[in-house]
Amino acid sequence: MEEERQEREEGEAGRAESTMTVADQISAGPAPRPLRQNRDFRLLWGGAGLSLLAGRATAVAYPLTVLWATGSPGDAGLVGTALLLPQLVMQLPGGALVDRWDRRRVMVAAGLGQALVTGLVMALLLSGRTWLWALLVAAFAEGTLGVLHQLAERAAVPSVVPAEQLPAALTGNEARTRGAAIAGQPLGSGLVGLGASLPYAAAAVAQLASVLCLFGIRGRLQQERAAPPAKIGTEIREGLVWMWRQPFLRAVMTAVAVTNVLFQGLNLAVMTGIQDHHGTQFEVGLVLSLSGAGGLVGALTGGWWQHRLRLRTLVLGGLLAWTALMAPVAAALHTPVLLGALFAASGYVGGVFNVAGGVLLVRAAPDRMRGRANSLANLVGSGAMAAGPVAAGFLLEATGPVRSVLALSAVMALTAVCALLSPGLRKAPYPESDSPS
């Protein structure tokens, strides 16, 4: 009897030990591979980076090509508008299509389409012709395909990255976007100076290389989905309703829209102020370049801040920091070095802010909704940026650059106070779950 009891106790202890071991393994789980060893993420990141760089280069090349060929700033502005117009009119349908279609196929088709468009523009310019209507169509088509590519890529990131590595992945994405903007502008203008067709040839090669990267990705870029509704308008409406029911996300997007208007106005006020103090275009470019460099550094450190501060703290802290940095600009309009430092600091905050916003979007939105969530965020930001220069222009004519900057600073302070008191920012930022499916 004693031996039987001992064997029974030993068996129960063994089962308990085995159960505890399995539980411990489940709770701990295998450590995820570093992002640098994640082949699918590296290919997705690199391919999208090539596409972004090509897009930034041609965004400068289109208006320069027309300006140098026709001498008409109006025609150059028309082409620039045609390139940016899809950011407003194609976001909502683009988001619905990205949620409906296979994301890899969307990016492949968009990349091939952009390569075809830039190749045709190259052929047109090599023939010695500069048809304005053809460049308008090409610019709009390239802009539309670029919107689809970016929406699909952003929605695909959570499919190739573990949830705990999303802040680091989105930090890399924001840094890539900032880097492409910094490098793409001089690349596009420099190639135009060497030959009108060169930036389009380089863009076509980069787009084809980005497509090749996509074919190397092994995993799926979205979850299985039910059959979509018959009408795309139904999906767009579903996305709008979903966004309206996210109080935290809605509050953040409202703050982003207001700050985008303010910073577009601030850029114009600084240009006017530097001109009034007999500054040069080089000084304007230097100040704006330092803002981009600060944004790049902010993006690289965005993940560090994410691990140490709550999202609400990051949002409110960013708005307060911008308020503190914007007001001194009024006194620094005659000092480009100080202006550059203030803009670099503001850009740094913007880089951190964008990483936080990207993490919020991918964690709050379920996989089936990520394309539409990103499209709504882009639409709010792009629409606000388009309104900023117009409003600031009237303000500058009425009050001058110093008072305009002070007025913009006051609105920024009011935005920070409203965010601090906003009921939406007190809600949980991920109302469905921390890692929605």
Side-chain angles (χ1 to χ4, degrees):
M1 294 289 292
E2 182 65 25
E3 292 178 355
E4 291 178 0
R5 184 179 64 81
Q6 186 176 358
E7 290 176 359
R8 186 168 61 253
E9 290 177 351
E10 289 176 353
E12 291 173 354
R15 286 192 297 272
E17 181 180 356
S18 175
T19 302
M20 289 177 62
T21 302
V22 172
D24 289 343
Q25 291 175 348
I26 292 174
S27 62
R33 292 175 299 166
L35 284 178
R36 63 179 179 275
Q37 298 177 10
N38 185 330
R39 183 175 184 271
D40 285 353
F41 174 72
R42 285 190 290 112
L43 288 170
L44 182 64
W45 187 91
L50 288 170
S51 181
L52 276 172
L53 182 62
R56 294 294 186 272
T58 55
V60 176
Y62 274 108
L64 280 180
T65 299
V66 173
L67 184 61
W68 254 248
T70 67
S72 169
D75 289 347
L78 281 175
V79 174
T81 299
L83 190 65
L84 294 175
L85 191 59
Q87 295 288 338
L88 290 176
V89 301
M90 295 304 299
Q91 290 288 353
L92 292 182
L97 292 173
V98 164
D99 285 337
R100 174 182 288 212
W101 294 340
D102 181 274
R103 289 169 187 160
R104 189 200 311 265
R105 293 178 181 175
V106 169
M107 286 185 281
V108 168
L112 292 175
Q114 287 175 293
L116 176 62
V117 169
T118 52
L120 290 173
V121 172
M122 177 191 68
L124 176 68
L125 296 175
L126 286 175
S127 71
R129 300 180 180 89
T130 309
W131 293 333
L132 180 61
W133 67 267
L135 292 175
L136 287 171
V137 172
F140 184 83
E142 187 176 348
T144 298
L145 293 169
V147 167
L148 290 172
H149 192 287
Q150 291 171 31
L151 289 174
E153 187 265 339
R154 290 177 185 175
V157 170
S159 299
V160 298
V161 172
E164 60 269 27
Q165 291 183 335
L166 277 175
L170 295 175
T171 292
N173 281 11
E174 179 65 16
R176 177 197 63 197
T177 301
R178 300 267 179 171
I182 293 172
Q185 294 181 5
L187 177 64
S189 58
L191 289 175
V192 167
L194 295 174
S197 63
L198 287 180
Y200 307 99
V205 172
Q207 294 292 357
L208 291 174
S210 76
V211 171
L212 291 177
C213 290
L214 293 170
F215 284 114
I217 298 175
R218 299 190 184 100
R220 291 179 57 84
L221 300 183
Q222 72 280 318
Q223 298 174 359
E224 294 292 338
R225 307 169 192 171
K231 296 181 179 179
I232 195 170
T234 303
E235 291 188 293
I236 294 175
R237 185 166 59 252
E238 182 188 8
L240 292 170
V241 170
W242 177 86
M243 182 66 76
W244 182 255
R245 291 175 178 172
Q246 316 302 315
F248 191 96
L249 188 56
R250 195 172 67 241
V252 171
M253 287 179 60
T254 302
V256 168
V258 174
T259 56
N260 279 347
V261 172
L262 297 178
F263 275 109
Q264 290 299 310
L266 184 68
N267 289 344
L268 187 57
V270 166
M271 294 178 191
T272 305
I274 290 176
Q275 184 185 50
D276 288 350
H277 287 90
H278 308 290
T280 65
Q281 293 94 329
F282 174 79
E283 291 173 348
V284 173
L286 178 63
V287 170
L288 297 181
S289 296
L290 287 172
S291 175
L296 178 59
V297 177
L300 291 171
T301 59
W304 187 89
W305 290 104
Q306 282 273 306
H307 286 300
R308 286 159 178 80
L309 296 176
R310 293 169 54 197
L311 191 54
R312 181 175 185 269
T313 304
L314 280 175
V315 172
L316 296 176
L319 294 173
L320 292 172
W322 276 332
T323 301
L325 291 166
M326 187 176 285
V329 170
L333 291 174
H334 62 285
T335 312
V337 174
L338 180 55
L339 273 179
L342 291 170
F343 267 63
S346 295
Y348 178 88
V349 175
V352 175
F353 202 102
N354 284 354
V355 171
V359 172
L360 170 61
L361 271 176
V362 298
R363 285 185 172 170
D367 181 82
R368 64 182 181 81
M369 194 68 68
R370 286 193 182 120
R372 283 165 284 181
N374 278 296
S375 70
L376 284 165
N378 292 345
L379 179 62
V380 170
S382 300
M385 289 174 69
V390 177
F394 288 111
L395 181 63
L396 283 163
E397 289 184 359
T399 66
V402 173
R403 292 183 179 179
S404 294
V405 171
L406 293 176
L408 295 171
S409 302
V411 178
M412 180 66 80
L414 180 61
T415 304
V417 171
C418 291
L420 186 63
L421 301 176
S422 169
L425 287 179
R426 299 195 191 104
K427 303 284 186 181
Y430 315 127
E432 289 153 0
S433 68
D434 285 339
S435 56
S437 60

